[in-house]
């Protein structure tokens, strides 16, 4: 019951408190800040999230609308956005996370039928969307693009190359 009351209090605060204040309250009331006292990295992440909420708050919006806007912003933000060329790290991301980004070299793994396109999306609009996503992935490469697949899945069933690779000029395809 105390947890339900705590949630009810937070729900009421959504319409009265600015997003950063609300998040600070949730972190404090839920004991997250105390729980992560011994983990400086996580404490720093919580503090940084509160700062982001404060920095990106739009005071002219109603508190609830401002909160929704910030939640959408943080859910769409990508860790890749915070990598620099100097980090010397290779990002492993989904195709959806790669939208709008470019890389010198891109590897697309799993380009086989029933995975790309997914077996549930092999008809109509879903297939067109899968094809578009594959195209988006290919266009993220500035210099080199590698597309790979596998002949057999984990259960020993043979897999054919993705139908989307058939649109690629054969001089660029090398099957082994």
């Amino acid at each position: 019951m105390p947890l339900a009351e705590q949630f009810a209090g937070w729900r009421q605060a959504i319409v009265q408190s600015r997003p950063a204040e609300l998040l600070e309250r949730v972190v404090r009331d839920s004991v997250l800040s105390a729980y992560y006292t011994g983990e400086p990295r996580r404490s720093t992440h919580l503090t940084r999230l509160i700062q982001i909420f404060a920095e990106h708050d739009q005071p002219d919006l109603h508190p609830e609308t401002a909160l929704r806007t910030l939640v959408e912003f943080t859910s769409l933000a990508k860790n890749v956005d915070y990598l620099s060329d100097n980090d010397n790290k290779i990002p492993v991301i989904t195709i959806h996370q790669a939208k709008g980004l470019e890389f010198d070299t891109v590897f697309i793994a799993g380009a086989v039928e029933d995975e790309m396109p997914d077996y549930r999306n092999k008809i109509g609009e879903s297939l067109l969307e899968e094809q578009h996503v594959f195209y988006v992935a290919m266009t993220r490469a500035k210099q080199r693009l590698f597309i790979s697949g596998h002949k057999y899945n984990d259960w020993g069933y043979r897999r054919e190359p993705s139908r989307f690779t058939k649109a690629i000029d054969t001089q660029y395809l090398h099957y082994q």
Side-chain angles (χ1 to χ4, degrees), residues 113 134 160-170 173 175:
E113 282 297 307
F134 185 77
E160 295 298 321
S162 171
R163 67 184 70 187
F164 302 146
T165 62
K166 289 178 175 64
I168 300 170
D169 190 318
T170 56
L173 298 175
Y175 296 104

Side-chain angles (χ1 to χ4, degrees), residues 94-97 99 115-139 162-164:
T94 67
I95 294 171
H96 292 285
Q97 289 174 311
K99 283 184 181 176
E115 290 183 33
M116 196 175 293
D118 184 275
Y119 70 95
R120 296 168 293 205
N121 298 323
K122 291 173 81 171
I123 55 170
E125 292 293 318
S126 296
L127 180 61
L128 291 174
E129 175 62 20
E130 292 263 323
Q131 187 175 16
H132 174 75
V133 168
F134 185 77
Y135 175 77
V136 166
M138 289 177 43
T139 61
S162 171
R163 67 184 70 187
F164 302 146

Side-chain angles (χ1 to χ4, degrees), residues 32-78:
L32 269 175
S33 56
Y35 183 79
Y36 289 125
T37 300
E39 297 184 48
R41 185 170 176 222
R42 291 190 185 211
S43 293
T44 301
H45 286 201
L46 286 172
T47 302
R48 180 65 186 130
L49 185 59
I50 293 168
Q51 288 172 342
I52 289 170
F53 270 44
E55 291 167 6
H56 294 280
D57 186 11
Q58 298 175 24
D60 54 317
L61 295 178
H62 183 274
E64 186 174 7
T65 305
L67 178 63
R68 285 180 195 276
T69 303
L70 282 165
V71 168
E72 287 173 12
F73 167 77
T74 56
S75 69
L76 294 174
K78 308 169 197 122

Side-chain angles (χ1 to χ4, degrees), residues 78 80-81 83-85 89 91 93-107 135-145:
K78 308 169 197 122
V80 144
D81 293 341
L83 290 179
S84 76
D85 292 337
K89 295 179 181 177
I93 58 177
T94 67
I95 294 171
H96 292 285
Q97 289 174 311
K99 283 184 181 176
L101 302 174
E102 287 186 323
F103 303 93
D104 289 338
T105 304
V106 169
F107 292 84
Y135 175 77
V136 166
M138 289 177 43
T139 61
R140 302 304 90 201
K142 290 194 279 187
Q143 297 174 4
R144 292 175 304 278
L145 171 66

